[in-house]
Short mmCIF file of all heavy atoms in Angstrom, two decimals:
data_model
loop_
_atom_site.label_atom_id
_atom_site.label_comp_id
_atom_site.label_asym_id
_atom_site.label_seq_id
_atom_site.Cartn_x
_atom_site.Cartn_y
_atom_site.Cartn_z
N LYS A 522 109.56 170.97 87.24
CA LYS A 522 109.60 170.08 88.41
C LYS A 522 108.41 170.35 89.33
O LYS A 522 107.71 169.44 89.74
CB LYS A 522 110.92 170.27 89.15
CG LYS A 522 111.02 169.56 90.49
CD LYS A 522 112.32 169.86 91.20
CE LYS A 522 112.28 171.27 91.74
NZ LYS A 522 113.41 171.62 92.60
N LEU A 523 108.18 171.64 89.65
CA LEU A 523 107.07 171.96 90.55
C LEU A 523 105.72 171.82 89.87
O LEU A 523 104.75 171.45 90.51
CB LEU A 523 107.23 173.36 91.14
CG LEU A 523 108.24 173.48 92.27
CD1 LEU A 523 108.23 174.88 92.85
CD2 LEU A 523 108.00 172.47 93.36
N LYS A 524 105.65 172.12 88.58
CA LYS A 524 104.38 171.94 87.87
C LYS A 524 103.94 170.48 87.91
O LYS A 524 102.75 170.19 87.97
CB LYS A 524 104.49 172.42 86.42
CG LYS A 524 104.40 173.91 86.30
CD LYS A 524 104.44 174.37 84.84
CE LYS A 524 104.43 175.87 84.78
NZ LYS A 524 104.57 176.40 83.44
N SER A 525 104.91 169.57 87.90
CA SER A 525 104.56 168.15 87.94
C SER A 525 104.01 167.75 89.32
O SER A 525 103.36 166.72 89.45
CB SER A 525 105.77 167.29 87.59
OG SER A 525 106.73 167.31 88.63
N LYS A 526 104.26 168.57 90.34
CA LYS A 526 103.77 168.29 91.69
C LYS A 526 102.54 169.13 92.04
O LYS A 526 101.95 168.95 93.10
CB LYS A 526 104.88 168.58 92.71
CG LYS A 526 106.10 167.68 92.54
CD LYS A 526 107.22 168.10 93.48
CE LYS A 526 108.46 167.29 93.26
NZ LYS A 526 108.47 166.06 94.01
N LEU A 527 102.17 170.06 91.16
CA LEU A 527 101.03 170.94 91.39
C LEU A 527 99.73 170.18 91.17
O LEU A 527 99.57 169.47 90.19
CB LEU A 527 101.09 172.13 90.43
CG LEU A 527 99.99 173.18 90.54
CD1 LEU A 527 100.11 173.96 91.84
CD2 LEU A 527 100.05 174.12 89.35
N ILE A 528 98.81 170.32 92.10
CA ILE A 528 97.47 169.75 91.93
C ILE A 528 96.68 170.76 91.10
O ILE A 528 96.48 171.90 91.54
CB ILE A 528 96.80 169.47 93.29
CG1 ILE A 528 97.60 168.42 94.04
CG2 ILE A 528 95.35 169.04 93.09
CD1 ILE A 528 97.14 168.17 95.46
N SER A 529 96.27 170.37 89.93
CA SER A 529 95.62 171.28 88.99
C SER A 529 94.39 171.94 89.60
O SER A 529 93.49 171.27 90.10
CB SER A 529 95.23 170.52 87.72
OG SER A 529 94.65 171.40 86.80
N SER A 530 94.39 173.28 89.57
CA SER A 530 93.27 174.04 90.12
C SER A 530 93.31 175.46 89.58
O SER A 530 94.38 176.05 89.46
CB SER A 530 93.37 174.07 91.65
OG SER A 530 92.42 174.97 92.17
N CYS A 531 92.15 175.99 89.28
CA CYS A 531 92.03 177.39 88.87
C CYS A 531 91.64 178.27 90.05
O CYS A 531 91.50 179.47 89.91
CB CYS A 531 90.98 177.54 87.76
SG CYS A 531 91.42 176.69 86.26
N SER A 532 91.47 177.67 91.20
CA SER A 532 91.03 178.41 92.38
C SER A 532 92.23 179.11 93.04
O SER A 532 93.38 178.79 92.74
CB SER A 532 90.35 177.47 93.38
OG SER A 532 91.30 176.88 94.23
N PRO A 533 91.97 180.02 93.96
CA PRO A 533 93.06 180.68 94.68
C PRO A 533 93.85 179.71 95.57
O PRO A 533 94.94 180.04 95.99
CB PRO A 533 92.34 181.72 95.53
CG PRO A 533 91.02 181.93 94.89
CD PRO A 533 90.67 180.63 94.25
N ILE A 534 93.30 178.56 95.85
CA ILE A 534 94.01 177.57 96.66
C ILE A 534 94.83 176.69 95.73
O ILE A 534 94.30 175.97 94.90
CB ILE A 534 93.03 176.73 97.50
CG1 ILE A 534 92.24 177.62 98.45
CG2 ILE A 534 93.79 175.63 98.25
CD1 ILE A 534 91.11 176.94 99.16
N GLN A 535 96.15 176.79 95.88
CA GLN A 535 97.08 176.03 95.07
C GLN A 535 97.82 175.06 96.00
O GLN A 535 98.28 175.46 97.08
CB GLN A 535 98.09 176.97 94.40
CG GLN A 535 97.44 177.99 93.48
CD GLN A 535 96.89 177.35 92.22
OE1 GLN A 535 97.61 176.72 91.46
NE2 GLN A 535 95.59 177.51 92.00
N CYS A 536 97.93 173.81 95.58
CA CYS A 536 98.59 172.80 96.40
C CYS A 536 99.71 172.13 95.62
O CYS A 536 99.54 171.78 94.46
CB CYS A 536 97.58 171.74 96.87
SG CYS A 536 96.35 172.37 98.01
N ILE A 537 100.82 171.96 96.31
CA ILE A 537 101.98 171.28 95.73
C ILE A 537 102.28 170.06 96.58
O ILE A 537 102.44 170.16 97.80
CB ILE A 537 103.19 172.23 95.65
CG1 ILE A 537 102.84 173.39 94.72
CG2 ILE A 537 104.43 171.48 95.19
CD1 ILE A 537 103.91 174.42 94.58
N LEU A 538 102.33 168.90 95.93
CA LEU A 538 102.60 167.65 96.62
C LEU A 538 104.03 167.61 97.15
O LEU A 538 104.97 167.94 96.43
CB LEU A 538 102.37 166.46 95.69
CG LEU A 538 100.93 166.26 95.21
CD1 LEU A 538 100.87 165.18 94.13
CD2 LEU A 538 100.02 165.91 96.36
N VAL A 539 104.15 167.25 98.42
CA VAL A 539 105.44 167.08 99.07
C VAL A 539 105.30 165.85 99.95
O VAL A 539 104.69 165.91 101.00
CB VAL A 539 105.80 168.31 99.94
CG1 VAL A 539 107.16 168.11 100.60
CG2 VAL A 539 105.76 169.59 99.14
N SER A 540 105.84 164.73 99.51
CA SER A 540 105.67 163.47 100.24
C SER A 540 106.33 163.50 101.61
O SER A 540 107.36 164.16 101.80
CB SER A 540 106.24 162.31 99.44
OG SER A 540 105.49 162.14 98.26
N GLU A 541 105.72 162.79 102.53
CA GLU A 541 106.19 162.54 103.89
C GLU A 541 105.92 163.72 104.82
O GLU A 541 106.28 164.85 104.53
CB GLU A 541 107.68 162.17 103.93
CG GLU A 541 107.99 160.93 103.14
CD GLU A 541 109.47 160.62 103.12
OE1 GLU A 541 110.27 161.31 103.77
OE2 GLU A 541 109.84 159.66 102.43
N ASN A 542 105.28 163.41 105.94
CA ASN A 542 104.90 164.43 106.92
C ASN A 542 106.08 165.29 107.37
O ASN A 542 105.97 166.51 107.46
CB ASN A 542 104.23 163.79 108.13
CG ASN A 542 102.77 163.45 107.88
OD1 ASN A 542 102.18 163.84 106.88
ND2 ASN A 542 102.18 162.72 108.81
N GLU A 543 107.20 164.66 107.68
CA GLU A 543 108.35 165.43 108.18
C GLU A 543 108.87 166.40 107.13
O GLU A 543 109.25 167.53 107.46
CB GLU A 543 109.46 164.48 108.67
CG GLU A 543 109.09 163.71 109.93
CD GLU A 543 108.55 164.60 111.04
OE1 GLU A 543 109.17 165.63 111.36
OE2 GLU A 543 107.49 164.26 111.60
N THR A 544 108.91 165.98 105.88
CA THR A 544 109.39 166.85 104.80
C THR A 544 108.46 168.03 104.60
O THR A 544 108.91 169.18 104.50
CB THR A 544 109.54 166.05 103.49
OG1 THR A 544 110.38 164.92 103.72
CG2 THR A 544 110.13 166.91 102.39
N VAL A 545 107.16 167.78 104.56
CA VAL A 545 106.21 168.86 104.33
C VAL A 545 106.18 169.82 105.53
O VAL A 545 106.03 171.04 105.36
CB VAL A 545 104.81 168.32 103.96
CG1 VAL A 545 104.05 167.82 105.14
CG2 VAL A 545 103.99 169.37 103.22
N LYS A 546 106.40 169.31 106.74
CA LYS A 546 106.48 170.19 107.92
C LYS A 546 107.70 171.10 107.84
O LYS A 546 107.64 172.27 108.22
CB LYS A 546 106.57 169.35 109.21
CG LYS A 546 105.26 168.76 109.66
CD LYS A 546 105.51 168.08 111.00
CE LYS A 546 104.52 167.00 111.30
NZ LYS A 546 104.81 166.30 112.55
N LYS A 547 108.82 170.57 107.34
CA LYS A 547 110.03 171.38 107.19
C LYS A 547 109.82 172.47 106.16
O LYS A 547 110.19 173.63 106.39
CB LYS A 547 111.21 170.51 106.80
CG LYS A 547 112.52 171.29 106.67
CD LYS A 547 113.65 170.44 106.17
CE LYS A 547 114.95 171.18 106.01
NZ LYS A 547 114.89 172.56 105.62
N VAL A 548 109.20 172.14 105.04
CA VAL A 548 108.91 173.15 104.00
C VAL A 548 107.99 174.22 104.58
O VAL A 548 108.21 175.42 104.39
CB VAL A 548 108.30 172.49 102.74
CG1 VAL A 548 107.82 173.55 101.76
CG2 VAL A 548 109.32 171.57 102.07
N GLU A 549 106.96 173.79 105.32
CA GLU A 549 106.04 174.74 105.95
C GLU A 549 106.79 175.69 106.88
O GLU A 549 106.63 176.92 106.80
CB GLU A 549 104.97 173.99 106.74
CG GLU A 549 104.04 174.90 107.53
CD GLU A 549 103.12 174.13 108.47
OE1 GLU A 549 103.62 173.29 109.25
OE2 GLU A 549 101.91 174.38 108.41
N ALA A 550 107.63 175.15 107.74
CA ALA A 550 108.37 175.97 108.70
C ALA A 550 109.30 176.95 107.99
O ALA A 550 109.36 178.13 108.36
CB ALA A 550 109.16 175.07 109.66
N ASP A 551 110.01 176.47 106.99
CA ASP A 551 110.93 177.35 106.25
C ASP A 551 110.19 178.49 105.57
O ASP A 551 110.64 179.64 105.60
CB ASP A 551 111.73 176.55 105.22
CG ASP A 551 112.80 175.66 105.84
OD1 ASP A 551 113.03 175.76 107.06
OD2 ASP A 551 113.39 174.86 105.10
N LEU A 552 109.05 178.20 104.96
CA LEU A 552 108.28 179.25 104.29
C LEU A 552 107.64 180.21 105.30
O LEU A 552 107.60 181.42 105.07
CB LEU A 552 107.22 178.64 103.37
CG LEU A 552 107.77 178.00 102.10
CD1 LEU A 552 106.69 177.21 101.39
CD2 LEU A 552 108.34 179.05 101.17
#
């Protein structure tokens, strides 16, 4: 599930798509 949302990168910066500003802000706060 998360691999399908991962933006492919070999760099130390890894990004996972999380639609909608409010949802991504909640994930950020929780982490």
Side-chain angles (χ1 to χ4, degrees):
K522 172 183 74 172
L523 283 185
K524 281 183 183 176
S525 71
K526 297 174 184 273
L527 181 69
I528 297 173
S529 182
S530 171
C531 296
S532 87
I534 299 171
Q535 300 289 302
C536 293
I537 297 178
L538 295 172
V539 180
S540 294
E541 300 177 4
N542 280 350
E543 291 310 311
T544 305
V545 78
K546 282 185 204 176
K547 182 185 179 326
V548 172
E549 174 189 52
D551 287 353
L552 288 170

